[in-house]
């Protein structure tokens, strides 16, 4: 107490002092110190303070140095925060921790020689530079210095009186950001590799009691924060060991910012989402986010995560998210929204563009769509749009472009507006209805034209289906209405819109299309026709003229040959022969108004005819003393004295010939023959009886009646009775020209004067039906005829119902009729019209009815087998039926045995022939049954003896084999009675499959024949080997089928293990020198040296070692060789060898040393080409040509990260030039500046992959830059450099077309210029070379669909000087419309079949079109592709190729054969197919690629290599 009193006195005396020294006393309390408000240095060392009790120091705000060394202090927990304290010494005390209040300005903390054993409660010391804790138990903690660095932060410079260790600083950086908080809260410091898991468990344990019931914390973390870049926190809860999907668990977030991990954090306003964007002022600070879980209405205590310090941004912006807002319907406006992380750059205006991706094609840039907003058009329907956004800072730094794909755009509902009628509204004109259609692709829209009714004003339909309408006279004085009903391509109909026209005016009468119809010959009748418009036609008049000229000259030179009259027909007079005839057509309206006349002239002059007769006939009564008169018509000029003669004939040859040929019933026609027929003497079969056709001309020309020669009348004499009379006239013109004579034969024989047949007609005296009224029977006619010799009388049968309705029976016109099922229940009658031989007809006579007709007994008229009489075939039948309405007929199958007995089989519609039927006869018994249940007589047929099928082995399975135990294979045989087959057993060390197994023999390496019976007993030599059985199936008659070969699934097992093994056998097998050998790029082989007996099936495995040293087993890699996959890149490989002895004793796994880090092939640029002109103001663009190898194609598509460009400008003009880089020109495009004129430009490019590697430098140079205007001086410098201008590619944009490159060459005589065709994907600068395509013409194919074709033309002069390469490109190649339509239909179906041919001989040396082609069925659906060989009479359908679309599945084309394609399922399964046309091949390829698109990184909808 005395010391404390003395302390108070000293303090009181030092109230205004800044330096107070009270050391080496026995002070135990600080009472009274609070009055030292100005003290800066306070030394209380070596006293008797024990603490706590430091509260009085709170008033010493100015205190800078505090010395408390050499006391008995056990805790600093009561030491208040001293805002100006810079130095604190607490050495040589009894402190167990440094827990105290935060000291914001403390720079040195000396705590040596204490009992500090923990860092728990370590205070926040933001500016501490030196920490001393020597001679404390805490020094036993590993990496204590690193822990101190974590607690203090970057201000710490010294630890225990020495500079910080670089190693400890590096170790501190390996700890997670929240480590300092965990240390302060009592976490036991550990090594950095275990810190993440350890601190996480420590925090979770702290939060466990306050977490939602049933939930566990799975993960807490924050991404590395960068300036103005998205930083996301991750809080993952699990429930019952699985990720929670409970919607009631809600997480709330709040972000904080602080200087250090242990500092006080300040809440960031409005930062309450899972993502926070650090600002520029946050750089170097620490982010903390508190997550508050809420379950229902309950809010639980917060948990937190902490980040590392915020890093400065890269300055290169990047797109965090893209979104497209708006309804994807034609006509709507959609808008793209980009959320950009500017990453420290000044926000600028990004570059936006829109691309259109049609079904099964690549995206195509939409010209002019360069804003965030875009209005959907017709072209966008059924396409997916791509919004591409490239962020650009104000400094010009471009970020990586990002894409956002939309769904497919739908068509708007069909509609139409601005409907109107165009055209002159006058009769005769064509008017057209038009409108502005909207709503997808217009389909078969409907158009209607309606005419106004004058009385009511209503409109009625006059035309439909077309938008054009020709005004007629009926429309005059009325209005027309045009109705437009819009319909889209899918058939959806929109609302109709109509418009009414003006009143239609009448046109003046006018005639058009005037023609002369008819043969321009003498005496022929011709007619003039024309179309009269201008109201209703009235009495139009026609006048005919003749003229010598073939060309009309108005009415000049015309000579009238008729008057003007209404009739339009005109018979050409004899006087017009040799003249052209002209018709004058004057149109007249109904009201008498006349129009302008129209003239038409004949195409040729009027021709005269040779003298001939246009008709010849005989009239009169063919009776004795009667007079017959001949009349004829003459044509062919003026008639002279024609010659007349009369003849008598014994027979009427014409009628007789018709009767002989059965043609008396034939009716005459106007044109009995083809007028243009050409008869050739040496064609056709020779006639056997020429007399039948020549007898009228040659055999009986008739007897001349001389007394009436030259007369046209003949009085029939008595000598002519019973004969026929003919008249022959030979026409003669007045100039003596004689025409062909013509003869007319009388129709009747000359009758005596009083013949009774002359007065009466034939008739029937009776008519009745003979037969029974039962279905199936034939009825005949019994009649009595009177009236001369009967000719072909006419019969007609009738069917009469019970209510008296009579119906004529079709095709029943003979004297007999067979009753059918249609007649049942009806009455039948017949009528007959008697006909005499001279064709005279009598009255029709109708018989009495017979009936009603009843059904006949059920009968089977015919019964036949269908199918092949061979084992394995299906036998069916076909049977006919009669006898009323067919009922449930039934049948039975029987097998006839050799002893004559029958074995009933079944009553199915078919019979499957089996082994039991071979050599037997099959009988079928068919019983007809009528619908009323009445059965008819059964009918049976028997087959031939059933032949056996081809001997075939259906199955051969070898069970597991064991030494000294019989192996009995399981086999199935087909093809008659099995005989003694051939069996051969083989032993092999390796398990064979495929063709190697089918070709097995003892001549193969490692194959030994070991048995030739069906059952085989393995011996000791077979242990560990595989057994294979060769079986040649043989029928009992000795015929052999195709052999089968099978191999056991596992090696032969030993009989049993030896119980008393020797020491050598007891030792485990071992392996040494395990290593990995590189076979080729991407292929490795594992090797090792085996010891310890005979090696069995040792086990191999492969492992992948990551960068952090983790070794992972590669599943499925269990062979000694290994092919690198994408997962192996940036890792090392290890080979594992587990030795296994032949007795299955397993040794210890041995791993090889890891290989070098595995990388894919480095991306290469085959050539860099420049597009654009080397002219001031033009834009040059660098385009990379990718090597055509498959490896490089995959490397570019998967591992290319970015392409870096740098443009250079030459510093010297002429040949001696060097290049200097152009600042800030690091993109693929460059706009030529005015200062570049006269210099050369160079673009260099390197490709960087995702592993940080860079390709070799590729570059391209321009020629000398010219101004956009060219001077003579410039021409003199450059006119000798070969160049190509206006380069373009001609050809339509479909995959079936031919394309040609064309340009204008200059610079001397052109030599062998180089042309290379390439493909370019839309939106990518990369080019893909097309092998072998170096000509000026290129024929596109399916592989080009969705790509642009690019031609690079390098002009070369004849002396070898090369010019600058120039390129041209096409629009993206589309699918030919017919192919597209068919592919779309088949893709919509989802499952289709194609027929093709498979060439089993794939030799490349055979001639085209020669090969062993077999029919195949290609089945394609959404999941897989299958090639099936169809079945035949002796075989079943078999599947040759089956596989899914998973890689490496693909379809290949043959450029030299447009009918072939190859389907590759994997390295072992592929098939070449041939189809009948290129069209079908393209359809098959596009359908397969369309269905396989979901397995590709780029879908067919993107490339169209075809739209599910």
């Amino acid at each position: 107490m005395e010391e404390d009193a003395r302390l108070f006195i000293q303090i009181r005396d030092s109230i205004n002092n800044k330096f107070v020294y009270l050391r080496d006393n026995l002070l135990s309390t600080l009472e009274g110190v609070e009055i030292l408000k100005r003290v800066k240095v306070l030394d209380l060392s070596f006293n008797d303070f024990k603490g706590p009790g430091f509260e009085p120091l709170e008033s010493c705000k100015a205190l800078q140095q505090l010395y408390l060394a050499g006391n008995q202090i056990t805790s600093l927990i009561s030491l208040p925060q001293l805002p100006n304290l810079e130095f604190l010494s607490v050495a040589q005390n009894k402190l167990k921790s440094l827990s105290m209040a935060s000291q914001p300005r403390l720079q040195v903390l000396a705590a040596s020689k204490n009992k500090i054993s923990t860092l728990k409660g370590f205070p926040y010391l933001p500016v501490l530079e030196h920490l001393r804790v020597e001679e404390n138990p805490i020094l036993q903690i590993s990496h204590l210095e690193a822990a101190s660095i974590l607690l203090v932060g970057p201000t710490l410079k010294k630890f225990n009186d020495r500079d910080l260790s670089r190693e400890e600083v590096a170790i501190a950086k390996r700890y997670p950001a929240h480590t300092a908080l965990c240390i302060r809260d009592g976490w036991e410091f550990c090594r950095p590799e275990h810190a993440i898991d350890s601190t996480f468990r420590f925090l979770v344990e702290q939060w466990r009691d306050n977490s939602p019931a049933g939930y566990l914390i799975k993960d807490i973390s924050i991404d590395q924060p960068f300036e103005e870049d998205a930083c996301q926190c991750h809080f993952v809860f699990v429930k019952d060991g699985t990720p929670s999907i409970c919607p009631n668990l809600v997480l709330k977030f709040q972000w904080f910012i602080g200087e250090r991990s242990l500092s006080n954090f300040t809440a960031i306003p409005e930062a309450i989402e899972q993502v926070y964007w650090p600002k520029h002022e946050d750089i170097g600070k620490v982010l903390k986010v508190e997550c508050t879980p809420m379950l229902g209405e309950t809010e639980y205590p917060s948990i937190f995560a902490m980040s590392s310090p915020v890093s400065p941004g890269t300055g290169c912006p990047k797109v965090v998210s893209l979104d497209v807002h708006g309804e994807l319907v034609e006509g709507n406006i959609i808008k793209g929204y980009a959320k950009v992380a500017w990453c420290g750059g000044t926000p600028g205006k990004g570059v936006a563009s829109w691309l259109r991706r049609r079904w099964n094609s690549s995206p195509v840039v939409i010209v002019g769509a360069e804003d965030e907003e875009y209005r959907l058009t017709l072209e966008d329907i059924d396409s997916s749009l791509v919004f591409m956004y490239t962020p650009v800072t104000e400094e010009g730094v471009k970020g990586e472009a990002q894409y956002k794909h939309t769904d497919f755009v739908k068509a708007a509902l069909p509609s139409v507006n601005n409907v109107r009628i165009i055209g002159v509204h006058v009769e005769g004109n064509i008017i057209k209805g038009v409108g502005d259609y909207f709503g997808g692709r217009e389909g078969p829209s409907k158009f209607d034209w309606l005419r106004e009714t004058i009385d009511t004003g209503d409109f009625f339909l006059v035309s439909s289906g077309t938008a054009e309408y020709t005004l007629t006279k009926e429309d005059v004085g009325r209005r027309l209405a045009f109705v437009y009903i819009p319909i889209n391509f899918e058939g959806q109909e929109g609302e109709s819109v109509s418009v009414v026209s003006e009143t239609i005016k009448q046109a003046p009468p006018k005639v058009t299309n005037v023609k002369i119809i008819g043969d321009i010959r003498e005496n022929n009748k011709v007619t003039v026709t024309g179309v009269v418009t201008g109201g209703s036609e009235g009495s139009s008049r026609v006048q005919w003229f003749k003229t010598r000229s073939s060309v009309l000259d108005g009415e000049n030179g015309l000579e009238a040959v008729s008057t003007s009259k209404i009739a339009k027909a005109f018979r050409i007079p004899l006087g017009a022969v040799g003249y052209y005839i002209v018709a004058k057509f004057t149109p007249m309206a109904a009201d008498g108004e006349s129009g302008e006349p129209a003239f038409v002239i004949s195409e040729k002059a009027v021709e005269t005819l040779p003298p001939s007769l246009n008709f010849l006939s005989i009239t009169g009564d063919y009776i004795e003393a009667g007079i017959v008169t001949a009349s004829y018509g003459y044509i062919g000029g003026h008639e002279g004295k024609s010659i007349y003669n009369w003849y008598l004939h014994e027979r009427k040859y014409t009628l007789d010939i018709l009767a002989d040929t059965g043609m008396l019933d034939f009716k005459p026609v106007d044109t009995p023959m083809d007028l243009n027929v050409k008869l050739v003497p040496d064609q056709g079969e020779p006639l056997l009886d020429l007399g039948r056709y020549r007898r009228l001309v040659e055999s009986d020309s008739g007897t001349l009646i001389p007394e009436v020669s030259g007369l046209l009348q003949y009085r029939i004499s008595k000598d002519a009775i019973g004969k026929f009379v003919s008249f022959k006239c030979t026409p003669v013109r007045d100039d003596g020209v004689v025409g062909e004579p013509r003869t007319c034969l009388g129709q009747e024989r000359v009758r005596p004067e009083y013949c009774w047949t002359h007065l009466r007609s034939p008739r029937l005296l009776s008519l009745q039906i003979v037969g029974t009224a039962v279905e199936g029977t034939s009825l005949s006619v019994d009649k009595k005829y009177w009236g001369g010799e009967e000719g072909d009388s006419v019969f007609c049968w009738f069917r009469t119902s019970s209510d008296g309705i009579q119906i004529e029976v079709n095709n029943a016109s003979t004297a007999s009729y067979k009753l059918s099922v249609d007649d049942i229940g009806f009455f039948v009658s017949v009528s007959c019209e008697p006909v005499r031989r001279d064709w005279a007809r009598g009255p029709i006579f109708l018989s009495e009815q017979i009936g009603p007709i009843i059904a006949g007994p059920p009968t089977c008229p015919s019964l036949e087998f269908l199918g092949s009489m061979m084992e394995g075939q299906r036998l069916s039948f076909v049977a006919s039926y009669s006898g009323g309405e067919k009922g449930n007929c039934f049948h039975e199958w029987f097998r006839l045995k050799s002893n004559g007995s029958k074995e009933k089989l079944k009553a199915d519609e078919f019979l499957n022939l089996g082994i039991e039927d071979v050599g037997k006869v099959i009988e079928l018994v068919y019983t007809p049954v009528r619908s009323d249940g009445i059965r008819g007589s059964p009918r049976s047929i028997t087959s031939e003896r059933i032949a056996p099928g081809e001997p075939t082995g259906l199955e051969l399975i070898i069970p597991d084999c064991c030494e000294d135990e019989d192996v009995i294979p399981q086999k199935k045989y087909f093809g008659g009675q099995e005989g003694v087959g051939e069996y051969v057993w083989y032993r092999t060390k390796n398990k064979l499959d495929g063709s190697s197994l089918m070709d097995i023999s003892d001549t193969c390496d490692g194959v030994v024949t070991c048995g030739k019976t069906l059952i085989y007993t393995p011996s000791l030599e077979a242990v560990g080997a595989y057994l294979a059985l060769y079986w040649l199936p043989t029928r009992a008659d000795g015929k052999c089928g195709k052999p089968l070969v099978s191999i056991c699934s596992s090696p032969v097992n030993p009989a049993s293990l030896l119980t008393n093994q020797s020491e050598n056998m007891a030792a485990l097998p071992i392996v040494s020198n395990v290593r990995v050998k590189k076979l080729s790029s991407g292929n490795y082989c594992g090797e090792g040296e085996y010891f310890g007996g005979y090696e069995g099936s040792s086990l191999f495995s492969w492992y992948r070692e990551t960068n952090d040293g983790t070794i992972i087993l590669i599943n499925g890699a269990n062979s000694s060789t290994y092919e690198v996959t994408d997962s192996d890149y940036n890792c090392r490989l290890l080979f594992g060898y587990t030795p296994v002895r032949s007795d299955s004793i397993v040794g210890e796994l041995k791993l090889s040393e890891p290989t070098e880090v595995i990388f894919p092939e480095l991306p290469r640029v085959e050539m860099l080409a420049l597009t654009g002109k080397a002219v001031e103001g033009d834009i040059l663009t660098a385009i990379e040509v990718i090597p055509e190898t498959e490896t490089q194609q995959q490397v570019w598509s998967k591992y290319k990260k970015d392409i870096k460009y740098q443009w250079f400008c030459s510093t010297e003009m002429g040949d001696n030039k060097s290049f200097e880089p152009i600042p800030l020109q690091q993109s693929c495009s460059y706009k030529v500046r005015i200062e570049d004129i006269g210099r050369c430009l160079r673009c260099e490019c390197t490709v960087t992959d995702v592993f940080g590697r860079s390709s070799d430098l590729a570059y391209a140079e321009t020629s000398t830059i010219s101004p956009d205007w060219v001077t003579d001086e410039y021409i003199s410098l450059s006119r000798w450099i070969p160049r190509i201008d206006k380069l373009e590619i001609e050809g339509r944009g479909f995959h079936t077309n031919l394309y040609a490159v064309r340009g204008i060459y200059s610079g001397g005589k052109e030599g062998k210029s180089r042309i290379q065709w390439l493909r370019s994907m839309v939106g990518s600068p990369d080019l893909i070379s097309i092998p072998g395509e170096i000509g000026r013409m290129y024929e596109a194919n399916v592989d080009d669909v969705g790509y642009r074709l690019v031609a690079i033309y390098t002009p070369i002069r004849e002396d070898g000087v090369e010019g600058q390469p120039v390129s041209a490109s096409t629009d993206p190649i589309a699918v030919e419309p017919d192919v597209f339509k068919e592919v779309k239909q088949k893709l919509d179906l989802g499952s289709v079949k194609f027929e093709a041919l498979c060439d089993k001989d794939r030799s490349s040396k055979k001639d085209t079109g020669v090969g062993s082609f077999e029919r195949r069925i290609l089945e394609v659906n959404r999941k897989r592709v299958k090639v099936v060989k169809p079945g035949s009479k002796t075989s079943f359908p078999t599947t040759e190729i089956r596989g899914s679309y998973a890689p490496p599945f693909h379809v290949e084309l043959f450029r030299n054969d447009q009918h072939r394609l190859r389907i590759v399922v994997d390295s072992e399964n592929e098939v070449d197919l041939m189809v009948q046309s290129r069209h079908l091949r393209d359809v098959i390829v596009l359908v397969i690629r369309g269905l396989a698109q979901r397995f590709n990184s780029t879908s067919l909808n993107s490339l169209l290599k075809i739209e599910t």
Side-chain angles (χ1 to χ4, degrees), residues 1054-1198:
S1056 62
L1057 295 177
L1058 298 176
T1059 58
N1060 298 321
Q1061 295 177 328
S1062 64
E1063 293 183 1
N1064 291 336
M1065 290 297 292
L1068 293 176
I1070 61 173
V1071 66
S1072 63
N1073 195 18
V1074 178
R1075 59 199 179 275
V1076 177
K1077 181 179 178 182
K1078 185 174 182 180
L1079 300 178
S1080 62
S1081 177
N1083 291 285
Y1084 291 84
C1085 175
E1087 298 176 345
E1089 298 176 3
Y1090 175 88
F1091 300 96
Y1094 290 102
E1095 185 176 11
S1097 299
S1098 295
L1099 303 177
F1100 305 114
S1101 55
W1102 290 86
Y1103 300 84
R1104 185 183 299 123
E1105 183 182 33
T1106 61
N1107 290 334
D1108 58 3
T1110 304
I1111 297 178
I1112 303 171
L1113 175 66
I1114 302 176
N1115 294 327
N1118 50 17
S1119 66
S1120 60
T1121 59
Y1122 179 70
E1123 184 176 356
V1124 172
T1125 65
D1126 293 350
S1127 301
D1128 302 320
Y1129 293 139
N1130 208 26
C1131 298
R1132 293 178 171 84
L1133 293 179
L1134 296 92
F1135 172 63
Y1137 194 142
T1138 304
V1140 179
R1141 201 160 53 219
S1142 59
D1143 57 2
S1144 301
I1145 299 298
V1146 181
E1148 183 181 356
L1149 169 68
K1150 197 78 172 179
L1151 293 179
S1152 70
E1153 290 295 322
T1155 65
E1156 297 294 329
V1157 178
I1158 307 297
F1159 290 112
E1161 188 175 305
L1162 192 66
R1164 293 188 293 107
V1165 178
E1166 186 174 279
M1167 182 179 72
L1168 189 66
L1170 295 178
T1171 62
K1173 297 180 180 179
V1175 178
E1176 173 209 350
D1178 202 356
I1179 296 178
L1180 301 177
T1181 302
I1183 300 177
E1184 307 82 27
V1185 179
I1186 303 174
E1188 62 189 33
T1189 63
E1190 182 179 357
T1191 301
Q1192 279 294 311
Q1193 296 290 326
Q1194 293 180 351
V1195 167
W1196 274 79
S1197 63
K1198 293 183 178 181

Side-chain angles (χ1 to χ4, degrees), residues 1242-1294:
R1242 176 185 179 122
C1243 180
E1244 295 181 355
C1245 116
T1246 56
V1247 183
T1248 304
D1249 63 10
V1250 296
F1251 307 107
R1253 303 178 301 162
S1254 297
S1255 67
D1256 295 335
L1257 184 70
Y1259 69 90
E1261 295 180 6
T1262 68
S1263 57
T1264 304
I1265 302 299
S1266 62
D1268 53 0
W1269 48 271
V1270 182
T1271 63
D1272 294 339
E1273 180 182 0
Y1274 178 74
I1275 293 176
S1276 66
L1277 293 175
S1278 61
R1279 61 183 178 179
W1280 298 113
I1281 301 175
R1283 58 184 296 174
I1284 192 77
D1285 296 317
K1286 297 184 179 179
L1287 186 70
E1288 60 181 4
I1289 299 177
E1290 296 181 337
R1292 297 178 61 193
F1294 297 122

